[in-house]
Amino acid sequence: STQSTWGAQKMGFLVEGTPLAWPDSLPYIEYVKQHGIQQFLAIYRRLRTRTNDELLWGDEVEYMIVAMDPANRTCKLSLRSHEILTTLEEAAKEMNDETCAWRPEYGSFMLEGTPGRPYAGYCADLRLVEPNMKLRREKAQSVLRPEERLITFTSFPLLGVGQDYSIPMGTLPGGVTQSLFVHDQLINPHPRFPTLTQNIRLRRGAKVCIRTPLYRDINTPWVEDAPRQPCEFSSPTTIDPFDNEVYMDAMAFGMGCCCLQVTFQARDIAEARYLYDQLAVMAPLMLALSAATPILRGKLADTDVRWHIIAQSVDDRTKEERGLAPLQNNKAVIPKSRYDSISCYISNHPHYKPAYNDANLVIDQPSYETLRANDVDELLARHLAHLFIRDPLVIFSEAIELDDERTSAHFENIQSTNWQTVRFKPPPPDSPIGWRVEFRSMEAQLTDAENAAFTVFIVLVSRAILFFDLNFYVPISLVDTNMERALGRNAMLNQKFYFRKYIVQNPGLVSIPAGHEDDIDEITLEELLCGKGTHFPGLVPLVKSYLEAIGCDADTGGMVDRYITLLVKRAKGELVSAATWIRQYVDKHPEYQHDSNLSEAVCLDLVEAVNRIVNGVDAAPELLGDLPPSSWNATGKEDDPTAHLRLRGASFLNPPTPHGSSTIRHSK
C-alpha cells in the first residue's frame, strides 16, 4: 500500500528471512553495495524527470509502554509491543480502519504511530494533525492493560538501572548485547533487530561506548579535574568507569529513544534536494527547541537531547576508522558515526555555492565513479557515495541476488542505516510515491499538542522556504558546530547558533550591502523565530506572511497562532522545554536526594504526572502556556469553504503571487 512505504522506516525495511551472522555476511558486502548503486540508478533513470507531484506529508511519533504499580511504588518498561502491535493491526483490519498506521520499533517496549494516509496540501489538513495524534494515543491505550501507560518520553528514565526495570526482566549480560545494563529481551524479536545490534558490535570490534556529562547537583559525588579517559572496552566490569559522566554500553540506550519525524513529498527531485539542504540547517536549532532528554540510565545528564546518545549507540566504526589505529584493514578515517548530522549539501539551486560544502567528505570511490558514469551530477553522486562508505549491517540470505530494476532493497539497506538529521528519499520502485525529504532531528514531546505544534511549524517553514525562495545556506562545518551547541543543558536559552544573516534574497524586501550577501550571524532561538533588526525577519513573521498570502482560513490561522505562541514563548524563556520541565519536577520531588540519581518512586510519580497532563486532568501552564494538552478537534473538510486552499509553495504551479513578492511583516 501507499501507506506502508510512505513514511520513514528508521530501522530499515522489515523483511522476512534469515539474517547472516557478521562473519558470514563479509563475502557479500561489496556485492550489496554495488547493486545498491545500480538500484538507485534504475530509479533515477526512470523518475529523474518526474515533476508536478502534489504536496503530501505526514508525521511519525514513537511511543513507549510502561507498567505502573503505585502500591509498590514501581514503574517498569512493559515488553509487550509486539503483542500490542498485532492487536492494533488486527482491529484496524477487522474494522477497515485506515485512520492510523502502526509499525514496530527497535525496543520491545516501543511503537511507532503515523496517520493512516499522508496529509494533503491543503490548509485544512494542518487541523487534522493533533486530532489524529490524539486518536493514535486513544487507540493504543485502549488495548493496554489497566496498569500500562502509553508515554512519549524521549528516553525511559530508568532504562539500564539495576536488575528489575522491565516486565519481564531478562538476564544480564545477554549474548547479543553483552551489556552490563541492557538484556536481550529488550530488543524487538524480529530477527533484524538483534542481528543489527550484534553486527554493529562485531564490526566495531568492541561494544559501543556511550558517554555524556553528568549533571552536578549539590550532593552529586564528584571528582575535581577528572581527566578524560579513553573508551575501548570489550568486557567492562564496572557500571561507572568514567568520573563525572553517564556511561552506557548498548544500542538500546540510543535506538530505544523516541522521536518526532516529518516527511514531505516534493514537487520533483530538484525541490526535494533544495528542501533537504535548507532543512538540514534548521535541524540543530529544532533539536535544541524540542529538547526532552535530561535523564539517562537513571541519572540527570548535563545534556538535554538524545542525538549524541543515538550517534554513539550505533557507531560501528573500527579503531582504524575512528583514527585510533593506523589504516591497515579499512579504507579511510571516517569523522562521524552513521547516525549524525549530514556532511554535504546536495542541491544545484542557484543559492548553493561550493564553498558551503567545506567538510572533508569521505566517499566510496567506486560508487562515485559508477554514479558519474551514469549521468548523476557531482553533488548528488558525492552524497550517495558518502552514504556508501558504510557497510550493510544486516543481509538476509534469501535476499542477495535481486532484480535491480524491480527492487531497491540493497540501496535501502545502506540508505536506511545512514541515520542523519535529514534524509533524501527516492521513490520506491513501482509506487505512486514521489521524491521525498524526511526531517529527523526533533525530540518527541510529552503531549499531543506539543508534537502537533512542532509538526505544523516545520511543515509551514518548509512551505515558506519554497514560497519566498529563502536561502539558509551556511558552511556545513557551522551546521556541525550548531549540532554540538544544541546538545547542552538548556541550549534553547543559553546558546547562540550560526545562521545566515540575509535569508531573504529579494532586494525589494531586504537591503543587502554589496559584498555581504553571505554574511553569517550568531542568533538565539528567539531571534530565529521572531527576527533580528531589519535584516532578519524571523521565521514566524515569514510563516504568517505566507499564510496571509495564500489566504489561510481563520480557524487554521488561529490554531497556527496557538502553536507558534508555544514555540516563541519557549524560545523567550517564558515557557520551559520538556527537558527543563522534567528536571524541575525531579528537583522538587521530596524523595529526590539532589545527587543526580533518579529513584523508581520518583520515576513513577513523574510518569503519572505527565499522564495526568496528557489526559487533561492536571494543567501545566509552565510547559504548555495557554495551549491545552489536546486542544483541537478535526473539522470536516468537505463542509469547510476554505478546505481547498492550497498550501502553495514552489510545490504548486500558479501561486497567487510571484515568489517573494508578498509583504513580510517584521515582529519582535
Side-chain angles (χ1 to χ4, degrees), residues 643-661:
H644 298 289
L645 281 173
R646 286 280 197 183
L647 287 171
R648 293 179 176 86
S651 294
F652 298 103
L653 302 177
N654 305 317
T657 53
H659 293 186
S661 67

Side-chain angles (χ1 to χ4, degrees), residues 58 109 250 349 367 370 587 605 634:
F109 54 92
H349 191 283
S367 296
T370 300
D587 187 67
D605 291 343

Side-chain angles (χ1 to χ4, degrees), residues 27 61 130 197 204 287 306 352 367 376 425 494 583 622:
V61 180
E130 188 178 333
T197 306
R204 178 184 171 96
L287 174 64
R306 78 198 187 286
Y352 169 76
S367 296
V376 178
K425 305 182 71 168
N494 296 339
R583 286 183 190 279
E622 69 280 12

Side-chain angles (χ1 to χ4, degrees), residues 252-267:
F253 285 107
M255 285 300 186
C257 289
C258 295
C259 64
L260 170 67
Q261 298 169 342
V262 185
T263 300
F264 309 91
Q265 178 171 271
R267 177 184 178 182

Side-chain angles (χ1 to χ4, degrees), residues 493-597:
L493 298 180
N494 296 339
Q495 280 290 359
K496 289 190 173 184
F497 298 91
Y498 289 107
F499 213 78
R500 192 178 188 90
K501 190 171 184 179
Y502 299 103
I503 61 173
V504 179
Q505 301 290 293
N506 188 324
L509 293 172
V510 175
S511 176
I512 304 176
H516 291 269
E517 295 85 359
D518 285 344
D519 281 6
I520 306 296
D521 201 357
E522 287 184 87
I523 61 173
T524 64
L525 290 182
E526 179 186 352
E527 290 166 339
L528 172 79
L529 296 183
C530 300
K532 183 176 181 181
T534 57
H535 63 275
F536 188 83
L539 299 185
V540 167
L542 284 166
V543 163
K544 289 186 174 181
S545 297
Y546 163 72
L547 290 173
E548 194 175 284
I550 67 169
C552 177
D553 62 284
D555 279 350
T556 303
M559 180 203 69
V560 170
D561 277 344
R562 285 197 188 192
Y563 289 161
I564 283 176
T565 298
L566 175 80
L567 303 188
V568 168
K569 285 188 173 182
R570 286 192 177 177
K572 289 182 174 182
E574 295 172 15
L575 297 176
V576 298
S577 66
T580 297
W581 188 90
I582 292 169
R583 286 183 190 279
Q584 291 176 350
Y585 183 91
V586 171
D587 187 67
K588 294 172 186 173
H589 196 286
E591 295 184 49
Y592 173 57
Q593 301 299 307
H594 298 279
D595 57 358
S596 307
N597 288 307

Side-chain angles (χ1 to χ4, degrees), residues 8 10 259-264 275-288 305-308 310-311 336-345 383 386-387 415 417-425 437-443 458 476 479-484 486-487:
K10 189 173 80 173
C259 64
L260 170 67
Q261 298 169 342
V262 185
T263 300
F264 309 91
L275 261 184
Y276 174 95
D277 286 3
Q278 303 306 298
L279 291 175
V281 181
M282 284 293 297
L285 289 82
M286 294 305 291
L287 174 64
V305 299
R306 78 198 187 286
W307 195 268
H308 63 303
I310 315 183
K336 296 178 181 178
S337 165
R338 60 197 299 157
Y339 195 114
D340 218 311
S341 55
I342 70 160
S343 294
C344 61
Y345 295 120
H383 161 71
H386 175 63
L387 299 184
Q415 156 100 337
T417 55
N418 274 271
W419 298 280
Q420 298 178 332
T421 43
V422 286
R423 184 178 280 159
F424 169 71
K425 305 182 71 168
V437 178
E438 181 185 11
F439 189 72
R440 300 172 44 81
S441 69
M442 295 187 294
E443 308 246 291
I458 201 65
I476 206 85
V479 177
D480 287 344
T481 301
N482 284 346
M483 281 300 290
E484 293 166 14
L487 304 181

